[in-house]
Amino acid sequence: MASANHNPIDIGISDGDRKKIAEGLSHLLADTYTLYLKTHNYHWNVTGPMFNTLHLMFETQYTELATAVDEIAERIRALGYPAPGSYAQFQKLSSVKESDGVPSAEDMIADLVKGQEIVVKTARSVFPASEAANDEPTADLLTQRMQIHEKTAWMLRSMLE
């Protein structure tokens, strides 16, 4: 990642810290985008007795994820780094794996629980760097993301009990 030097950024966070945080956020962006894509796929392809419930639930979730992707990418840009934006980059950076085929509705739910939990762990892993640099905007973004993904994982997990 290369920062543009012709217009130096002076926001009270060192170049090294901004780079480290932006790299962590790039992983979070990739995880979030991959989870967005997977959730949208499941929205399109879910079948079975819970079709209507899951179709609507997945739509709510992918819509929220689409907004999150934008917020994360914009934070990376505000820190002075380019946001990754290709499937190739996301595949390298993401801990969320794409799914093959069309799983059963129950397997979709279980897979999305895993995806939500992975995103929480990625967000949590970036938090120490943002905290150490006194980067409150990133810390706030990470806190919001963790809260949303933990709640969504709980709601999905509840459907499996």
Side-chain angles (χ1 to χ4, degrees):
M1 296 182 127
S3 181
N5 290 332
H6 56 287
N7 288 318
I9 295 174
D10 184 15
I11 58 172
I13 303 171
S14 74
D15 291 345
D17 285 344
R18 283 188 295 102
K19 182 176 197 272
K20 185 176 182 182
I21 295 164
E23 287 171 352
L25 289 174
S26 293
H27 286 279
L28 181 61
L29 178 60
D31 282 357
T32 304
Y33 195 91
T34 306
L35 184 59
Y36 159 81
L37 186 63
K38 181 181 285 204
T39 305
H40 212 149
N41 172 21
Y42 291 170
H43 163 78
W44 290 326
N45 291 302
V46 70
T47 58
M50 292 194 301
F51 169 80
N52 198 49
T53 301
L54 293 177
H55 186 71
L56 293 172
M57 181 186 227
F58 294 163
E59 182 175 9
T60 301
Q61 290 171 8
Y62 79 67
T63 301
E64 194 284 324
L65 289 162
T67 302
V69 162
D70 207 42
E71 291 171 356
I72 297 163
E74 288 175 358
R75 185 64 197 152
I76 294 167
R77 295 299 300 132
L79 291 168
Y81 290 89
S86 71
Y87 287 121
Q89 287 175 303
F90 289 153
Q91 195 172 23
K92 282 182 199 161
L93 292 167
S94 183
S95 302
V96 177
K97 297 302 166 214
E98 292 185 68
S99 52
D100 294 326
V102 180
S104 68
E106 195 167 309
D107 287 344
M108 286 178 180
I109 297 166
D111 191 31
L112 291 177
V113 168
K114 277 188 227 153
Q116 294 285 340
E117 290 173 344
I118 288 168
V119 177
V120 169
K121 289 187 275 190
T122 300
R124 188 164 274 119
S125 75
V126 182
F127 202 88
S130 68
E131 202 172 37
N134 294 317
D135 180 1
E136 290 84 359
T138 297
D140 184 50
L141 175 65
L142 294 169
T143 300
Q144 289 174 37
R145 297 313 315 148
M146 288 186 283
Q147 224 171 353
I148 289 164
H149 291 290
E150 286 177 3
K151 183 177 180 180
T152 303
W154 157 65
M155 290 180 161
L156 288 163
R157 207 179 298 108
S158 296
M159 296 184 82
L160 297 172
E161 293 171 2

